[in-house]
Every structure is written in C-alpha cells, then in structure tokens.
Amino acid sequence: MRAYTGDGDVNEETTAAIARIREEVCVLHAELVRYGLVAWTAGNVSGRVPGTDLFVIKPSGISYDDLTPESIVVCDADGVLVDGDLSPSSDTDAHAYVYRHMPDVGGVVHTHSTYATAWAARGESIPCVLTAMGDEFGGEIPVGPFALIGDDSIGRGIVKTLSGHNSPAVLMQNHGVFTIGKDARAAVKAAVMCEDVARTVHIARQLGEPIPIPQDDVARLYDRYQNVYGQR
Amino acid sequence: MRAYTGDGDVNEETTAAIARIREEVCVLHAELVRYGLVAWTAGNVSGRVPGTDLFVIKPSGISYDDLTPESIVVCDADGVLVDGDLSPSSDTDAHAYVYRHMPDVGGVVHTHSTYATAWAARGESIPCVLTAMGDEFGGEIPVGPFALIGDDSIGRGIVKTLSGHNSPAVLMQNHGVFTIGKDARAAVKAAVMCEDVARTVHIARQLGEPIPIPQDDVARLYDRYQNVYGQR
Amino acid sequence: MRAYTGDGDVNEETTAAIARIREEVCVLHAELVRYGLVAWTAGNVSGRVPGTDLFVIKPSGISYDDLTPESIVVCDADGVLVDGDLSPSSDTDAHAYVYRHMPDVGGVVHTHSTYATAWAARGESIPCVLTAMGDEFGGEIPVGPFALIGDDSIGRGIVKTLSGHNSPAVLMQNHGVFTIGKDARAAVKAAVMCEDVARTVHIARQLGEPIPIPQDDVARLYDRYQNVYGQR
Amino acid sequence: MRAYTGDGDVNEETTAAIARIREEVCVLHAELVRYGLVAWTAGNVSGRVPGTDLFVIKPSGISYDDLTPESIVVCDADGVLVDGDLSPSSDTDAHAYVYRHMPDVGGVVHTHSTYATAWAARGESIPCVLTAMGDEFGGEIPVGPFALIGDDSIGRGIVKTLSGHNSPAVLMQNHGVFTIGKDARAAVKAAVMCEDVARTVHIARQLGEPIPIPQDDVARLYDRYQNVYGQR
C-alpha cells in the first residue's frame, strides 16, 4: 500500500482516525446493498477524516462483496489519491467538491436508487406529503442540474442546490441521488430515507393526488425530529 | 438498568411477565424487517404486560439489528419510562393512549409501510375487494385524521377511527399505519396483512376497477375467519 | 399422532409414501416464501399420496418457519383428517375436490400472490403476450368464479375452469390463485411462473398494449416446452 | 461424464480452461438469482472457452440451487453437447449462433427479467434518459424481432440487432433479454444493468415524460465509462 504523502501532519491520531473511518465506510456500503439502493458496483459512500482535509471513499468498479477496510481509498481535499492500492470512485471529484465547500458535512453518499432516480429523470422534486419527509427532509427533496462527470459540474450542482435547504438529499437530473450528513452514517440514512419516500410518494401519486401538508406543520415536524428523536 | 418504580405491585409474577413480553416484542420487530415494512429505524411494536398497566416498546432511533430484549423499554399507562436504559420510541404517547382507551388491546404496531402509507397520503381508505381483506379486516381499512406528533392527537385519531370498526388497522393521513391486536403478535400480523392487501388492491386499481364483494359476503368471510381459521 | 384409520390398505409401502410426500410438501412451502408468494400463513401446498386416495396438506394458520414434515397433515378423499396432530388448512375442501375430480392431478397450490391476485380482483384473465406464457400455460391464464369458502364452490370453480384448458393456473375472482400439476413440485412451479408472468404482463400494460402472440405460435411454444424442455 | 470428443486439440490447457470457465459460469448464475432476474429455472449464462470454438452453458431445466461446475455442459460451435451428463439449455442454439457470428463476444446471458421483458412485450426500445444508460449502453436498448425457439431465428435476431450498436443488450419482442460481453461476467453485468435501467425508466415514465439526454452527451458518457471507469 502506498504510504500517505500529503502535506498535513500524519501523526498517530490521524492514522487511527483513517483506520476507523475506513472500517465505518466499508461497513456502510453493505447498507446500500441491504436496502436495494445499488446494482452491481454503482453507488458509493465517503467519509471525512475528522480533523483533516482528507476523506475516504469506495474504489472504482469494485464489487460490494469484495470491499474491505483496506480497499477503501484515502483522498485529499482535491480528490487526489493519497493512500490505497486502487483507483478512487469515478464520483470522487463530486465528493471532494462537497467537502471543500460544505465544512459541516462529514459524509456523502451517491446512488442511482430506483424511485429517486425516476423523479430525477423527469427533473421533478419530491413534494413533502408524508410526515416522515417533514421529519427527515424538512420539506421537498429538490432537483439539481444536469451535469456531466469529468469536472466540477456535479459538485457545484450539489452544493448550489443543497445550500440553505433543509434537505440532505438532492436529485441530480437524469442521474441519481447525492446525500450529505454530519457523518457517513447520517448520509447513508438520508439515502435510505430518500428512496423510501421517493417510492411511497410515487405510488401515492399513481392513483391520485396526495394531500399536501401545511408548511408550518412541516416546520414543526422537522424541528421536533431534529431535536427530540433518538437517544440523547 | 433503572429499577421499576411504579405504584403497582411488582411481584415476581410481573417481573417474569415483563421479561417474557420484552423477549416477544424484540423478536417481533424482526418480522417488520422480514416483510419489508420498515426502513432504517422507523416503525415500532409494543405489547401490554398482562395483568398490569404497563407496556413494553422499542427504544427511539435504535437499529433493528441492535435490539435485544434488555433494550426494549417498559412504560406506564401514561407512556412514562419506568424501566430501561434508553428513551422510548417517539410514538410512545400514541401507543399509551390506545392501551388506556382500548382495554382489550394487548399489542400495537406502527409502520410507514409503502403501499399502506401511499393510500394514507391520499387520505383514501382501502376498499374490501379481496377475500383476504374480508377475512382479516372485515371490510375496508379506514383512514384516520392528520395529526401531529407531540400530544394525544395521534392516539385519539387511532382510537376514534378503530372504535366500533372490524379493522385492526388504521391509515393515519399523510403518516402511516397503526394496527392493534389481542397481543403484539396479532398486531404484527395485522400490519403485515395490511401492507399485503394495500399493495394488491393498489396494483389491481392501476389497470381498472376491482370488482366489489357484496357486504353480506364480507360479513360471512369475517365471521368464519375469526372463528374457524387456525388451530383451536 | 393419531393413527391412520381409513378404509384403504395402509401397508408399509403407503406409510413410506406418506413420509416421502410429507417431506416433499414441507420443503416446497419454502419455495412459496422464497418467491414472495405468501404473507404470514396465507398459502398452501398439497400433494397426492401415490397409489391411494389420500393427500397431504399444510396445517391451518401455522407459520412457514414452524412447518416440519410431521406437522403436515394427511387427509382422505373428502378432505377429512386421517393423520396428524393439527387441523388441516381451511382450503382443504378445495384441494380435496380437485383431487376427486381430476385424477391426473398430483399436486395443488393456493396463494394470494400479489400480481396474480390483482388480476383476479378485476376478474380479468392474463393474456398470452410472453413466450414464457406460451411455454408454461399454453395460452391465457383464465379467471374462475367468485366463490365463498365453506362448501364445494371453490373446488367446483377450479375444476370447471381448468378442465379442457392448457393452463395449470386459475385466478379465482377476488381471491387468489390455484395451480395444479402432475405432482406438488409441478404445481409450485406453476404458482411461481403464474406470479412471474402476472407481474410482467401487468407492468407491460401500464405503459401501453403488449403485442399479441399469434395463437398458432402459442401452440408451437406450448408443444415444444411440454415435450422438449428439461432433462429426459 | 462423457469425454470430450470434438475435433479440436483437447490438450491440458483446454481442459484447464474448461474447468475454469465452468466454475465461473456456475458462480455467475447465482448473480441472476441475487438480482432477481430469474424465476425457477428460466435464464442462463454461457461463456466461451478461450482459444477454442467451445462454450459452456447451463443444463436445461435444472434448479439454480443444484448447479455445480460439473453440471455445466460443454458445447461446440454448433451448440452440440460435447461434454457433460445433462442436456444443454433449450436456448443453446441462440448462444451458439452469437458465438459463431460475433467473434469478440466471450459471454452471453439470457433472462426474462421483469421490467426489460415488459418493454419487450410492447416491442419498445428503452430510451436513454439516465446517465447510467449512457455509461453502460451508449444509447437506447434496442428491440429485436419476434422469433420462435427451434431454429436460428433467435440467434439471427440478436446478432442483427446488436451488430454496430453500442448496447450489449437486446430486448427480444414478447420474449426477454439477451446480453453479450467480452466474457461471461461482463454479459451478466449488462443483464443486471439492463433490468435496473428498464425498471427506473419505466417508473419515471409512469408519472410523465423523462427528460432526454442530448446525443453528444450520451457519447461523452459512453466514451468515458468504457475507458476510465474501474481499475486499470
């Protein structure tokens, strides 16, 4: 394995943090498989290494069955490989752009999950008609621009769409979903919930119009869920 | 673990009953996962402790993988935690309201299962067009009101809708499903069957109108199933 | 276990045949679960005991997880329990009627599988627009009458609909599917393929009209598949 | 097992290559099951034996559970069995035709996967409205002719439709999918991705029209994916 050769201090603490986040990100990919969000090798999770400009991400084109913590690669803030034997995900530039421009983001997930991508193919945002959407997304799930892979276009589209928005998920037109979170686990949760509500609202709309939830009720749901749900 | 400090007699019998129902409710959560009724941590099962005003319920925001009988919490009739290390489900108030107002109910289940929630998002009850619906629900599955979490609104909506109704399931508008049963297992069965018929009737309606079942035939199916099906 | 008390010769050969068919029918129920054809306890497989008027069938209301060869019950030609500790399936009368009136049938399966039951809820037969339907069903999958449980109505509807028809599957209106086969395994295969084509044709029709297959091509497909497919 | 009796040199190298490809093709069938592309025994994978005119393929009508490397049969360029105890897949003639006429093809897969087959039943190609389709298929997924099993019709339809086309997948009208690849694994990947995009585009179209992707952007996506994605 190539040694880390970045400019930052790579002390023992960072080495340990990298090992921990590689393990976590490796395990979280199994959640994408479990919830049926990915086919073959299409989809990836990344996680920021706390206290550094580094992040770890899935290697490109590797089967989920074959992922190990060691196979997860480490990149710097520009998405350049700094540790690992494999090439990073072809979506690494988009992840890197998000980490550079959204300092509170600690995890990013990308999938082509079926129902969310179907909304993205039509370029339609998902309206907030479920209390679970109010809880997790605080309103609609927005659509980002059509953008080709290969430069900063996708990253810019994600950051521009999500900045100032409650939703941790964006539907990139004709493409798929990107989600963000305070850490990789939160971003995976957002990806799971995004597909879940994308599917439920799609199915609801197949036979008529869902009833809207008043905006102030959405705000109450979001506020409560972000502050009360789960363990303290 | 905090000791039980309620006013009731907590004799050995109650202690044993609590242990049994914690085990049962823990195991039943796996059925929600197996039947695909829940995503991430959204959904919960509770069960009344026989001979007491207590019930046990899932802790809030805990992964189904991590549930153990010991992690299931015990609440009193007002939904206040009386035993357990974790905060109870954010839906505990709704469960508690049902137990207080429906003395024959021994189990309550809540899910956002996809097809049932899609009907709920449109505020439409599911018409009884399947013999399996006649068997289990004795007619349509009704819709309850839109209600915000945080007070008794959800509980009141459940009890008002289900009182005097054959159906053990109610579709809470824009929210999801609550089911009741003589015990936790029966409520889980109702949640599984509710999603099953919600899906089948949805799919039937996608390509035309299902044929109604005459009401007296529904009554015959319901009566027979409640009295003849299964083992004596 | 109650001893067999029928009038027939219950020699060692029959005892061995009963044990074999109980084992086979027990294992085949797992295929219903694997292919997602059943929810909770709704669905059943039966198999004729070769050389006798007996058949074996699932006990009523028992979880698929809990089925063992010993728990499978033995019934006579009238559907009366002749061996076993549990009550037979509530659909036993329908299975018995089929065995009495279709001597070549060695296995019967009943499910409420989602897509097939959706066609049944609208009372629509499934048109033969897939070569796989030509192969297995030799034409459309027909609809049988609405019939209540409790007498011979369901059995009569199955036999009347399937007699002289290529299809081993019938969609009982508002109810579900019954399939037949030379043995229990063939009937399970028909139930799996029935749901598979019911789903594919449903999805095809959601976005337009499938192209019909000319009737003489259907006949060629059916003939070839029944005589050439598989191992000699 | 019958010994290989073809005219070619069957030296140790070929024997070893046959053993390897039998193992690979056996394992790849499990991917068809994992991704839900097949029901019962309908679907098959074949792989060319490098350096020979031979290919290996699934035996006819055998359960996926029962496949072993030894059960996979070896056929010559005309699809005639040259090694193995079982009859080859009833689709062997179509596979053989492809190998004879497309020398770069090293693997062929056939399924009746649900959504792709639904498009095939209507005789509609799948429009390229997802970046993932641009990546893998380089444009639309085309429809091939209606063709009966029993002669070269299916093989000719596959080769004619795919020749000069970017797509490694063809929807055979009223029938199902055939995919090709440089090896069996690539053909299985194409079958998995074909169903994935068939499903997503179907669902997108249920509620409106997907936004087209400009043809030159499709070309850029295809070029990049074929040359940059994955490990070097």
Side-chain angles (χ1 to χ4, degrees):
Chain A
M1 202 183 307
R2 292 206 289 119
Y4 171 61
T5 58
D7 296 333
D9 284 330
V10 187
N11 50 29
E12 279 181 36
E13 197 181 325
T14 299
T15 306
I18 289 174
R20 269 198 312 274
I21 193 87
R22 269 179 156 155
E23 169 78 27
E24 183 188 342
V25 163
C26 177
V27 167
L28 284 167
H29 279 93
E31 298 291 317
L32 303 188
V33 174
R34 186 211 301 226
Y35 283 101
L37 306 189
V38 290
W40 211 249
T41 63
N44 37 73
V45 179
S46 70
R48 200 193 283 273
V49 183
T52 75
D53 283 340
L54 306 173
F55 66 94
V56 309
I57 192 167
K58 180 176 180 291
S60 184
I62 302 297
S63 165
Y64 295 105
D65 288 352
D66 296 337
L67 286 185
T68 59
E70 298 71 35
S71 69
I72 302 292
V73 299
V74 184
C75 295
D76 69 14
D78 294 316
V80 176
L81 180 72
V82 295
D83 191 43
D85 295 324
L86 299 167
S87 305
S89 163
S90 61
D91 298 303
T92 297
D93 288 347
H95 290 249
Y97 190 96
V98 173
Y99 288 119
R100 286 202 305 279
H101 291 83
M102 302 184 97
D104 292 343
V105 167
V108 178
V109 171
H110 174 50
T111 80
H112 301 159
S113 67
T114 302
Y115 284 86
T117 301
W119 289 89
R122 292 191 311 269
E124 272 189 71
S125 59
I126 308 176
C128 184
V129 296
L130 302 172
T131 56
M133 281 192 73
D135 289 347
E136 175 78 21
F137 299 96
E140 66 164 22
I141 298 177
V143 176
F146 178 77
L148 283 187
I149 201 166
D151 60 17
D152 274 350
S153 309
I154 295 176
R156 274 188 283 118
I158 299 167
V159 170
K160 189 172 175 194
T161 310
L162 292 184
S163 295
H165 209 291
N166 285 338
S167 171
V170 53
L171 310 174
M172 292 300 283
Q173 186 192 306
N174 295 112
H175 183 175
V177 184
F178 281 85
T179 61
I180 57 175
K182 69 180 184 347
D183 54 25
R185 186 169 187 79
V188 170
K189 181 190 178 188
V192 170
M193 298 312 287
C194 177
E195 179 65 6
D196 194 57
V197 301
R199 178 170 43 228
T200 303
V201 179
H202 176 93
I203 290 169
R205 273 192 46 193
Q206 287 186 314
L207 295 181
E209 275 308 305
I211 300 170
I213 302 181
Q215 184 51 41
D216 55 341
D217 286 340
V218 170
R220 275 187 211 108
L221 287 164
Y222 183 65
D223 181 63
R224 182 187 159 90
Y225 190 77
Q226 301 302 320
N227 294 304
V228 176
Y229 187 79
Q231 305 298 323
R232 293 301 87 198
Chain B
M1 201 184 302
R2 291 208 288 121
Y4 170 63
T5 57
D7 296 334
D9 283 331
V10 188
N11 51 29
E12 280 182 33
E13 196 181 324
T14 300
T15 305
I18 289 174
R20 271 197 311 274
I21 194 89
R22 269 178 155 155
E23 170 76 29
E24 182 189 341
V25 163
C26 177
V27 168
L28 284 167
H29 279 93
E31 297 291 315
L32 303 188
V33 174
R34 185 209 302 223
Y35 282 100
L37 306 190
V38 289
W40 211 250
T41 63
N44 36 73
V45 179
S46 70
R48 199 193 283 271
V49 183
T52 75
D53 283 340
L54 306 173
F55 65 94
V56 309
I57 191 166
K58 180 176 181 291
S60 183
I62 301 298
S63 165
Y64 295 104
D65 289 352
D66 296 337
L67 285 185
T68 58
E70 296 72 35
S71 68
I72 302 291
V73 299
V74 185
C75 294
D76 68 14
D78 294 316
V80 176
L81 181 73
V82 294
D83 192 42
D85 295 324
L86 299 166
S87 304
S89 163
S90 61
D91 298 304
T92 297
D93 288 347
H95 291 249
Y97 190 95
V98 173
Y99 288 119
R100 285 201 306 277
H101 291 83
M102 301 184 97
D104 292 342
V105 168
V108 177
V109 171
H110 174 49
T111 80
H112 300 158
S113 67
T114 302
Y115 284 85
T117 301
W119 290 89
R122 292 191 312 270
E124 272 190 70
S125 58
I126 308 175
C128 185
V129 295
L130 302 171
T131 56
M133 281 191 73
D135 288 347
E136 176 76 23
F137 299 95
E140 67 164 21
I141 297 177
V143 177
F146 179 76
L148 284 186
I149 201 166
D151 60 16
D152 274 350
S153 309
I154 295 176
R156 274 187 283 119
I158 299 166
V159 169
K160 188 172 175 193
T161 310
L162 292 184
S163 295
H165 209 291
N166 285 338
S167 172
V170 53
L171 311 173
M172 293 300 285
Q173 187 192 306
N174 294 112
H175 183 175
V177 184
F178 281 86
T179 60
I180 57 175
K182 70 180 184 343
D183 53 25
R185 185 168 188 80
V188 170
K189 181 190 179 187
V192 169
M193 299 312 289
C194 178
E195 180 64 6
D196 194 57
V197 300
R199 179 169 43 228
T200 303
V201 179
H202 175 92
I203 289 168
R205 273 193 47 192
Q206 287 186 312
L207 296 181
E209 276 307 306
I211 300 170
I213 303 181
Q215 184 52 40
D216 55 341
D217 286 340
V218 170
R220 275 187 210 107
L221 286 164
Y222 183 65
D223 180 63
R224 182 188 159 90
Y225 190 76
Q226 301 302 320
N227 294 305
V228 176
Y229 187 78
Q231 305 299 322
R232 291 302 88 199
Chain C
M1 201 185 302
R2 292 208 288 120
Y4 170 63
T5 56
D7 296 334
D9 283 331
V10 187
N11 51 27
E12 280 182 33
E13 197 181 325
T14 299
T15 305
I18 289 174
R20 272 198 311 275
I21 194 87
R22 269 178 156 155
E23 170 78 28
E24 183 189 341
V25 164
C26 177
V27 167
L28 284 168
H29 280 92
E31 297 292 314
L32 303 188
V33 173
R34 185 209 302 224
Y35 282 100
L37 306 189
V38 289
W40 211 250
T41 62
N44 37 72
V45 178
S46 70
R48 199 193 285 269
V49 183
T52 73
D53 284 341
L54 306 173
F55 66 95
V56 309
I57 192 165
K58 180 176 181 289
S60 183
I62 301 298
S63 165
Y64 294 105
D65 289 353
D66 296 337
L67 285 185
T68 59
E70 297 72 34
S71 69
I72 302 292
V73 298
V74 185
C75 294
D76 68 15
D78 294 317
V80 176
L81 180 73
V82 294
D83 192 41
D85 296 323
L86 299 166
S87 305
S89 163
S90 60
D91 298 303
T92 297
D93 287 347
H95 290 250
Y97 191 96
V98 174
Y99 288 120
R100 285 202 306 276
H101 292 82
M102 301 184 96
D104 292 343
V105 168
V108 177
V109 171
H110 174 49
T111 79
H112 301 157
S113 68
T114 302
Y115 285 86
T117 302
W119 289 90
R122 293 191 311 270
E124 273 190 70
S125 58
I126 308 176
C128 185
V129 295
L130 302 171
T131 55
M133 280 190 75
D135 289 346
E136 176 77 22
F137 300 95
E140 67 164 20
I141 298 177
V143 177
F146 178 77
L148 284 187
I149 201 165
D151 60 17
D152 274 350
S153 309
I154 295 176
R156 275 186 283 121
I158 298 167
V159 170
K160 189 172 175 192
T161 310
L162 292 184
S163 295
H165 210 290
N166 286 338
S167 171
V170 52
L171 311 173
M172 293 299 285
Q173 185 191 308
N174 295 112
H175 183 176
V177 183
F178 281 84
T179 61
I180 57 175
K182 70 179 183 342
D183 53 25
R185 186 169 187 82
V188 169
K189 180 189 179 189
V192 170
M193 299 311 288
C194 177
E195 180 64 6
D196 195 57
V197 301
R199 179 170 42 229
T200 303
V201 179
H202 176 93
I203 289 169
R205 274 192 46 192
Q206 286 186 314
L207 297 180
E209 275 308 306
I211 300 170
I213 303 180
Q215 184 51 39
D216 56 341
D217 286 340
V218 170
R220 275 188 210 105
L221 286 165
Y222 183 66
D223 182 62
R224 183 188 158 89
Y225 190 76
Q226 301 303 319
N227 294 303
V228 177
Y229 187 80
Q231 305 298 323
R232 292 303 88 200
Chain D
M1 203 184 303
R2 292 208 287 120
Y4 171 63
T5 58
D7 296 334
D9 283 329
V10 187
N11 52 27
E12 281 182 32
E13 197 181 324
T14 299
T15 305
I18 289 174
R20 271 198 310 275
I21 193 86
R22 270 178 156 155
E23 169 79 28
E24 183 189 341
V25 163
C26 176
V27 167
L28 284 167
H29 279 93
E31 298 291 315
L32 303 188
V33 174
R34 186 210 301 225
Y35 283 100
L37 306 189
V38 289
W40 211 248
T41 63
N44 37 72
V45 179
S46 70
R48 200 193 282 272
V49 183
T52 74
D53 284 341
L54 306 173
F55 65 95
V56 309
I57 191 165
K58 180 177 180 292
S60 183
I62 302 296
S63 165
Y64 295 104
D65 289 351
D66 295 337
L67 286 185
T68 59
E70 297 72 35
S71 69
I72 302 291
V73 298
V74 185
C75 295
D76 68 16
D78 294 318
V80 175
L81 180 73
V82 294
D83 192 41
D85 295 324
L86 299 166
S87 305
S89 163
S90 60
D91 298 302
T92 297
D93 288 347
H95 291 250
Y97 191 96
V98 173
Y99 288 120
R100 285 201 306 277
H101 292 84
M102 302 185 95
D104 293 342
V105 168
V108 178
V109 171
H110 173 50
T111 79
H112 301 158
S113 68
T114 302
Y115 284 86
T117 302
W119 289 89
R122 291 191 312 270
E124 273 190 70
S125 59
I126 308 176
C128 184
V129 295
L130 302 172
T131 56
M133 280 191 75
D135 289 346
E136 175 78 21
F137 299 95
E140 66 164 22
I141 298 177
V143 176
F146 177 77
L148 284 188
I149 202 165
D151 60 17
D152 274 349
S153 309
I154 295 176
R156 275 187 283 119
I158 298 167
V159 170
K160 189 172 176 192
T161 309
L162 292 184
S163 295
H165 209 290
N166 286 338
S167 171
V170 53
L171 311 173
M172 293 299 284
Q173 185 191 308
N174 295 111
H175 183 176
V177 184
F178 281 85
T179 61
I180 57 175
K182 70 179 183 345
D183 53 24
R185 184 169 188 80
V188 170
K189 181 189 178 187
V192 170
M193 299 311 288
C194 178
E195 179 65 5
D196 195 56
V197 301
R199 179 170 41 229
T200 303
V201 179
H202 175 93
I203 290 169
R205 274 191 47 191
Q206 286 186 314
L207 297 181
E209 274 308 305
I211 300 170
I213 302 180
Q215 184 50 41
D216 56 341
D217 286 340
V218 171
R220 276 188 209 107
L221 285 165
Y222 184 65
D223 182 62
R224 181 185 160 89
Y225 190 76
Q226 301 303 319
N227 295 304
V228 177
Y229 187 80
Q231 305 299 322
R232 295 300 88 200

